[in-house]
Amino acid sequence: MKLFDVYPINNINVTRGIGSLVYDDKGTEYLDLYGGHAVISIGHTNPHYVKRLEDQLHQIGFYSNSIEIPLQTQLAEKLGHVSGKEDYQLFLCNSGAEANENALKLASFYNGKKKIIAFKKAFHGRTSLAVAATDNPKIVAPVNETDNVIFLPWNDEAALEEAFKNNEVSSVIIEGIQGVGGIQVASVNFLQKIRSLCDEHNAVFIADSVQCGYGRTGKFFSHDFSCIDADIYSMAKGMGNGFPIGGIIISPKIAPAYGMLGTTFGGNHLACAAGLAVLEVIERDNLMQNAAEVGGYLIEELKKFDKVKEVRGRGLMIGIDLPEELSNVKKDLLFKHQIFTGEAKPNVVRLLPALNLTKAYADRFLEAFSTTLNNS
């Protein structure tokens, strides 16, 4: 049997990692400023994280949601405290797509409506309803197509008001900062307009925080910059520092009922141990403040490069928009300077490092970035 060939991959075999560094099977060191798609939030093989998982594995790794799992309650309490959403309710699952799928389904249960507002360049996942709300026809199979999703222009308040006027809207789903879409930041006024229209029409505001949440921007949720509360926040990626875990936190106005949502693996003992370790390190080491400071430093320094068209983002979620003639930059950073970064089409370099990235590593990147631009 061979692997189903759906990933374009780099010919690099990473065998170990520590903090913001990874090493391949030849011993070559790489600076990781991508974290496997924004997943590594507290650094590779963080000692507290490793011990938490190891200790839990020596006790019990898994049982289903048919029994009490006190770790789930502990995770909910810690998440409420660190995020500031203490009156919300937590439902645990396994991935960002599953989190968004459950959020959209729960919204429709709540108000009995069907129409979903999403936005141009949105990415919400690859499961049935999540992919239908994703603005990429190439990954939407015919069976996923639905007339229930309305795609609107980004940050367009007039189009948003018109859509509410003409449709029975169940929910609005929006990334506070679009990741795959090229690090596009939702404006404060736009998020506030979504909140007011959802209130007016009894629609559910879903804050997709899978990539832009969990402290990455310097606040726990990037939507917090707008000083509003969403009805549901979806989470995954940095939530487990590499262990598969996802979840949604749900406003107290939405009441649960037995059988409404469900999962086999979601909220298992090991996943909760991973989730608790991440929050403990974020809180103990002031990683949101570090993300704001080091990310702010990177953004300001990157704006000084004349060849850069635009720098977008907040904290350690950064997009470097480059002209077409610099399409080689991401590849050169990896193969000439041993620095992992991400990309967004057509030509945006994405930085999504661990939240404990140091200024020294930021400077190492800036030096390599400068050399790459000068040699291009």
Side-chain angles (χ1 to χ4, degrees):
M1 184 184 292
K2 62 181 181 179
L3 296 174
F4 196 54
D5 189 11
V6 292
Y7 300 117
I9 61 172
N10 296 302
N11 188 26
I12 298 170
N13 176 15
V14 172
T15 56
R16 65 186 181 94
I18 181 167
S20 292
L21 301 174
V22 295
Y23 299 84
D24 68 14
D25 55 351
K26 301 175 182 65
T28 305
E29 179 183 280
Y30 295 81
L31 176 59
D32 185 9
L33 297 188
Y34 197 52
H37 306 302
V39 167
I40 301 301
S41 52
I42 59 171
H44 295 279
T45 60
N46 179 283
H48 179 70
Y49 173 83
V50 171
K51 188 172 189 310
R52 259 289 199 173
L53 281 170
E54 183 180 346
D55 288 350
Q56 186 59 50
L57 196 54
H58 283 300
Q59 297 175 53
I60 185 170
F62 172 83
Y63 207 81
S64 74
N65 286 293
S66 62
I67 60 161
E68 292 182 1
I69 302 178
L71 285 168
Q72 292 182 354
T73 303
Q74 294 171 32
L75 180 55
E77 290 173 350
K78 177 62 79 173
L79 178 55
H81 173 69
V82 177
S83 70
K85 313 291 185 196
E86 298 196 74
D87 60 341
Y88 279 58
Q89 309 156 89
L90 173 63
F91 175 78
L92 291 163
C93 54
N94 309 287
S95 68
E98 190 180 338
N100 283 329
E101 192 86 16
N102 280 296
L104 293 163
K105 180 179 178 182
L106 188 58
S108 187
F109 273 135
Y110 169 72
N111 54 29
K113 301 176 186 178
K114 295 182 179 180
K115 294 292 184 181
I116 297 162
I117 292 176
F119 297 93
K120 296 294 184 181
K121 296 188 177 181
F123 186 95
H124 298 296
R126 292 176 180 270
T127 55
S128 184
L129 194 52
V131 81
T134 291
D135 186 28
N136 182 354
K138 292 181 180 179
I139 65 171
V140 181
V143 73
N144 302 132
E145 294 171 359
T146 173
D147 293 331
N148 288 328
V149 180
I150 303 161
F151 287 102
L152 299 181
W154 187 247
N155 281 335
D156 189 330
E157 294 183 34
L160 184 67
E161 289 179 340
E162 190 69 16
F164 267 96
K165 189 184 300 182
N166 296 325
N167 297 277
E168 286 287 309
V169 177
S170 173
S171 60
V172 179
I173 184 166
I174 183 169
E175 301 154 89
I177 302 176
Q178 289 184 332
V180 175
I183 314 298
Q184 305 291 341
V185 181
S187 73
V188 168
N189 287 343
F190 193 57
L191 292 174
Q192 291 175 345
K193 175 62 75 171
I194 293 172
R195 178 69 277 170
S196 65
L197 287 170
C198 284
D199 288 340
E200 182 181 344
H201 295 272
N202 193 33
V204 174
F205 185 155
I206 300 172
D208 181 340
S209 301
V210 170
Q211 188 172 132
C212 61
Y214 249 74
R216 176 155 297 282
T217 59
K219 292 185 181 290
F220 196 84
F221 296 114
S222 64
H223 302 75
D224 291 343
F225 284 94
S226 63
C227 300
I228 53 92
D229 287 319
D231 298 308
I232 302 174
Y233 295 82
S234 59
M235 303 161 292
K237 293 197 183 294
M239 190 176 184
N241 201 51
F243 196 97
I245 181 173
I248 52 176
I249 60 169
I250 305 149
S251 163
K253 76 179 187 184
I254 301 176
Y258 288 158
M260 179 184 278
L261 304 178
T263 171
T264 296
F265 296 106
N268 67 73
H269 296 77
L270 272 178
C272 288
L276 278 163
V278 167
L279 289 171
E280 287 159 357
V281 172
I282 287 175
E283 186 176 37
R284 182 193 70 193
D285 295 347
N286 298 313
L287 294 193
M288 285 190 280
Q289 180 180 341
N290 187 73
E293 291 175 356
V294 177
Y297 169 72
L298 270 169
I299 288 169
E300 290 308 309
E301 291 300 309
L302 286 165
K303 287 179 178 178
K304 297 176 182 177
F305 289 94
D306 292 338
K307 292 183 179 180
V308 171
K309 290 169 61 178
E310 187 180 15
V311 181
R312 297 186 294 270
R314 287 190 169 114
L316 289 173
M317 185 170 186
I318 300 170
I320 309 165
D321 204 338
L322 297 172
E324 188 176 348
E325 60 268 23
L326 294 177
S327 60
N328 61 297
V329 168
K330 177 181 176 291
K331 183 177 180 180
D332 286 353
L333 284 169
L334 179 57
F335 290 104
K336 294 182 180 180
H337 298 278
Q338 290 72 53
I339 299 176
F340 278 101
T341 61
E343 67 177 345
K345 304 297 184 185
N347 200 27
V348 177
V349 174
R350 282 197 287 165
L351 304 183
L352 298 160
L355 306 187
N356 48 12
L357 183 76
T358 64
K359 186 173 178 291
Y361 284 141
D363 284 333
R364 176 170 159 182
F365 164 74
L366 290 167
E367 183 178 348
F369 185 70
S370 177
T371 300
T372 301
L373 292 193
N374 290 334
N375 292 339
S376 297

